[in-house]
């Protein structure tokens, strides 16, 4: 017995928690629609209890005819409420343009209203109840039908049909013996019932319709923004590549013709083709880098505007204007993703975004309420750090390595003619495989050595990010450190700079240790020995090459 009771109690608790999760999983518009629907379901029953069943049941005369007419009217009125509840979903869907007109439901509601009104006229004929009680009954009778009609007809059509109901009801009560002021009162009461049903249903339905239209407009706007960005990106690539590819094709054809004739100028043309190809590669890399970067100031302002437009109180504390571009870009992506999560998940009422810089670190935290029960609790993500390579001897080499999560990857090496130099390079913000959600944020933060924590509890979700700031600018420039800019190792009088660290695998993926993109460009022919800190001259030989891992 005790085990059965415990099992039943557990089932009840499980159903309550499932309902709670289902409620929190609804969007705000769906919650508003659900609450409005519940109100419309209850409204006929409230009027039935307050205007028909209790007053009429207590006020009937004890003769047979009044009792028969009265209790039959009460049962028919309850059937009106049941029919109004059954057809309500169809009527709302028709108003919101989700379903066709529920004609059969309207016919059934009209028949029940006519039957109830006929029983009320019968009570008038047998003088089965006082006129005041009969007025309350007349006030209720058209409401269930008017509720369904208000969702289905235009305002003009609704007014015309309710006018016919008023005229028919007044005529019927006149035939039953009502006279003078009682007839006027019945007409006014039925007209007021129609107006009450219209206001209580149509206004709420119109609000729902506007909210759904706004939601669809936001979706369309988001899709258009994505399409516009794709067009912009395609246009930029076309502008960069179109002219260069045309020149490459033309010069390649010219080199072929010169080579067939044994002319030495063919070599010059192919050298020019090589130069244009390398220039195109650099320009495409810049386009992609600009496409992936995010401006922290713009993202903070945009997140605050979008959240407040969605009814979420958003407070932004701090500014990242003095941060390096790579750190701003990484934190900008964090703000963008965090704002997206606040909008899509949970039912937030507030969101606090705080940015602070202390002890060589930039810290960004995003906290919001309204988190559903059971949200995951995060743990710190492994740090990622980049090391730009060095040039040594006469054949300088560039190398990059990255530690991200638990795995490490080594970029390929490029060698060529150069002096030598050494420098520690910071990885640039850009990371291969932009990913999505928190996974994408981890990849981007790993590129600048950042960490990410997230946790939830008591309905609050908190995202915390820490990014170390690059060393202060000093001899040899701290920019030896921006790992996306691999320098020419052998330019005259310049220290050897690290090669392009390339595009890293997402954190923790170590199956392809060599997949890191270009390792950099080595020195170029004729640039001189190129001295750097702690370096010694190296021999000169052919042209430096670009090596991709």
């Amino acid at each position: 017995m005790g085990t059965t009771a415990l099992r039943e109690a557990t089932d009840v608790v499980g159903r309550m928690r499932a309902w709670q999760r289902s409620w929190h999983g609804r969007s705000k518009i769906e919650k508003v629609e659900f609450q409005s629907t519940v109100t419309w379901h209850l409204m006929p029953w409230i009027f039935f209890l307050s205007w028909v069943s209790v007053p009429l049941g207590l006020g009937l005369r004890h003769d047979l005819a009044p009792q028969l007419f009265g209790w039959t009217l009460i049962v028919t009125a309850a059937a009106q409420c049941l029919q109004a509840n059954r057809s309500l979903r169809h009527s709302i869907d028709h108003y919101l343009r989700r379903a066709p007109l529920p004609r059969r439901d309207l016919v059934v509601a009209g028949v029940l209203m006519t039957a109830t009104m006929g029983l009320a006229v019968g009570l008038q004929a047998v003088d089965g109840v006082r006129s005041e009680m009969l007025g309350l009954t007349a006030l209720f009778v058209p409401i269930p039908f008017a509720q369904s009609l208000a969702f289905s007809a235009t305002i003009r059509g609704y007014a015309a049909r309710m006018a016919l109901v008023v005229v028919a009801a007044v005529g019927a009560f006149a035939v039953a013996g009502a006279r003078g002021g009682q007839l006027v009162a019945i007409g006014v009461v039925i007209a007021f019932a129609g107006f009450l049903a219209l206001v209580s249903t149509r206004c709420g339905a119109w609000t729902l319709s506007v909210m759904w239209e706004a939601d669809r407009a936001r979706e369309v706007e988001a899709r258009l923004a994505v399409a516009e960005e794709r067009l912009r990106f395609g246009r930029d690539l076309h502008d960069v590549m179109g002219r260069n590819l045309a020149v490459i094709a033309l010069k390649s054809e010219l080199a072929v013709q010169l080579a067939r004739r044994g002319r030495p100028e063919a070599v010059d043309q192919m050298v020019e083709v090589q130069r244009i190809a390398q220039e195109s590669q650099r320009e495409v890399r810049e386009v992609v880098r600009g496409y992936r970067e995010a401006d922290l100031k713009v993202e903070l302002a945009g997140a605050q505007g979008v959240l407040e437009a969605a009814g979420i109180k958003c407070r932004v504390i701090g500014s990242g204007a003095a941060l390096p571009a790579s750190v701003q870009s990484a934190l900008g992506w964090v703000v963008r993703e965090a704002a997206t999560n606040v909008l899509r998940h949970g039912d937030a009422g507030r969101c606090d975004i705080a940015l602070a810089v202390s002890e060589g670190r930039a810290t960004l935290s995003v906290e919001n309420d309204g988190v559903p029960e059971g949200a995951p609790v995060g743990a710190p993500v492994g740090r990622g750090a980049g090391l730009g390579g060095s040039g040594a001897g006469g054949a300088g080499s560039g190398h990059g390595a990255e530690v991200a999560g638990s795995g490490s990857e080594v970029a390929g090496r490029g060698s060529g003619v150069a002096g030598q130099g050494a420098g520690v390079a910071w990885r640039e913000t850009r990371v291969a495989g932009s990913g999505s959600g928190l996974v994408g944020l981890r990849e981007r933060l790993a590129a600048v050595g950042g960490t990410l924590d997230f946790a939830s509890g008591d309905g609050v979700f908190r995202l915390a990010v820490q990014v170390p700031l690059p060393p202060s600018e000093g001899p040899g420039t701290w920019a030896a450190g921006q790992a996306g800019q691999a320098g020419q190792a052998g330019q005259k009088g310049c220290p050897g700079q690290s090669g392009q660290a390339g595009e890293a695998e997402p954190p923790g993926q170590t199956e392809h240790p060599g997949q890191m993109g270009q390792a950099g460009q080595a020195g170029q022919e004729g640039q001189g020995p190129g001295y750097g800190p702690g370096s010694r001259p190296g021999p000169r030989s052919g042209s430096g090459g670009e090596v991709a891992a």
Side-chain angles (χ1 to χ4, degrees):
M1 183 67 179
T3 305
T4 304
L6 180 61
R7 186 183 300 111
E8 291 178 354
T10 304
D11 292 341
V12 171
V13 173
R15 285 194 294 269
M16 292 177 62
R17 288 181 175 177
W19 182 86
Q20 186 180 18
R21 286 193 295 268
S22 174
W23 173 256
H24 286 299
R26 296 172 181 261
S27 66
K28 290 186 177 180
I29 302 179
E30 290 172 339
K31 290 179 181 179
V32 172
E33 181 173 343
F34 177 81
Q35 292 172 343
S36 301
T37 304
V38 170
T39 302
W40 291 325
H41 274 290
L42 293 176
M43 187 177 69
W45 291 103
I46 294 174
F47 294 155
F48 169 74
L49 292 174
S50 57
W51 295 346
V52 178
S53 62
V54 175
L56 190 61
L58 296 177
L60 287 173
R61 288 172 48 196
H62 296 290
D63 296 337
L64 178 61
Q67 290 288 324
L68 181 62
F69 276 111
W71 289 106
T72 305
L73 187 151
I74 291 174
V75 172
T76 309
Q80 279 189 277
C81 295
L82 289 174
Q83 170 61 22
N85 288 170
R86 192 187 70 84
S87 63
L88 179 62
R89 183 73 264 171
H90 299 157
S91 300
I92 294 174
D93 288 343
H94 169 70
Y95 184 82
L96 297 178
R97 299 178 182 178
R98 301 172 182 165
L101 178 66
R103 299 180 183 278
R104 182 177 299 179
D105 292 335
L106 286 175
V107 171
V108 173
V111 170
L112 288 173
M113 181 191 67
T114 303
T116 308
M117 188 68 72
L119 291 170
V121 172
L123 276 176
Q124 171 69 31
V126 300
D127 193 20
V129 70
R130 291 180 305 176
S131 59
E132 295 84 359
M133 297 297 178
L134 196 60
L136 288 177
T137 302
L139 182 62
F140 165 80
V141 170
I143 283 182
F145 170 75
Q147 185 185 58
S148 299
L149 184 64
F151 288 118
S152 306
T154 62
I155 299 296
R156 182 177 298 179
Y158 177 87
R161 288 170 175 81
M162 290 307 300
L164 289 176
V165 172
V166 171
V167 171
V170 170
F173 275 97
V175 172
R179 294 290 182 269
Q182 186 179 8
L183 283 178
V184 174
I186 289 174
V188 172
V189 162
I190 295 177
F192 175 76
F195 175 76
L196 178 63
L198 178 66
V199 172
S200 61
T201 56
R202 193 62 174 257
C203 292
W206 178 81
T207 302
L208 279 179
S209 176
V210 171
M211 292 177 67
W212 280 113
E213 287 292 336
D215 185 68
R216 285 190 289 268
R218 281 194 294 268
E219 292 180 359
V220 171
E221 183 179 4
R223 288 196 295 268
L224 289 176
V226 172
E228 182 179 357
E229 185 65 12
R230 287 174 178 171
L231 289 175
R232 185 197 69 79
F233 187 56
R235 183 174 61 249
D236 290 349
L237 282 180
H238 177 270
D239 293 343
V240 168
M241 296 299 296
R243 176 183 59 83
N244 290 350
L245 289 177
V247 175
I248 288 174
L250 181 62
K251 287 187 172 294
S252 298
E253 183 179 358
L254 178 58
V256 169
Q257 297 297 330
L258 292 173
R260 286 177 178 174
R261 299 175 184 178
R263 300 284 296 276
E265 291 86 348
V267 177
D268 297 334
Q269 295 298 325
M270 291 308 300
V271 169
E272 184 68 11
V273 167
Q274 183 185 30
R275 185 193 65 79
I276 296 174
Q278 291 174 347
E279 180 69 14
S280 300
Q281 185 182 33
R282 182 189 62 79
E283 291 178 354
V284 169
R285 191 179 299 122
E286 290 179 355
V287 170
V288 174
R289 183 181 301 119
Y291 181 73
R292 290 180 176 176
E293 287 178 351
D295 185 275
L296 180 57
K297 181 180 178 181
V298 173
E299 294 300 333
L300 287 172
Q304 186 175 24
V306 169
L307 292 175
E308 290 184 349
I312 301 172
K313 184 178 180 181
C314 182
R315 182 177 59 169
V316 177
I317 303 173
S319 172
L323 295 175
S326 59
V327 177
Q328 286 200 43
S329 180
L331 295 180
W333 281 105
V334 174
V335 172
R336 180 182 299 183
E337 181 63 28
T340 302
N341 287 338
V342 172
L343 289 173
R344 290 183 176 178
H345 309 298
D347 186 18
R350 68 166 182 87
C351 178
D352 296 331
I353 304 174
L355 179 63
V357 179
S358 61
E359 299 180 357
R361 283 185 170 274
T363 302
L364 174 71
S365 65
V366 182
E367 183 177 295
N368 64 276
D369 60 359
V371 179
E373 183 181 354
V377 179
V381 179
R383 299 174 182 268
L387 176 65
S390 61
S397 64
H399 113 204
E402 181 197 21
V403 178
S406 61
S408 64
E409 298 169 354
V410 181
R413 300 181 177 180
S415 62
V417 180
Q420 64 176 20
V424 177
W426 273 80
R427 294 291 312 280
E428 64 177 348
T429 305
R430 183 168 62 89
V431 180
S434 59
S436 61
L438 296 178
V439 176
L441 294 184
R442 290 170 178 171
E443 297 176 15
R444 296 180 185 277
L445 291 171
V448 291
T451 61
L452 181 148
D453 299 315
F454 62 94
S456 64
D458 299 330
V460 176
F461 182 85
R462 188 174 189 275
L463 177 71
V465 171
Q466 289 188 347
V467 178
L469 299 179
S472 301
E473 185 171 347
T477 74
W478 77 270
Q482 284 193 343
Q485 302 296 332
Q488 313 273 335
Q491 292 183 359
K492 184 175 181 179
C494 298
Q497 293 180 356
S498 61
Q500 175 112 4
E503 299 191 349
E505 291 284 319
Q509 294 187 6
T510 59
E511 297 91 313
H512 308 288
Q515 193 174 357
M516 293 291 293
Q518 274 109 17
Q521 295 179 350
Q524 296 182 353
E525 180 179 8
Q527 297 291 340
Y531 299 98
S535 65
R536 52 189 174 81
R540 295 172 56 184
S541 61
S543 62
E546 181 176 353
V547 179

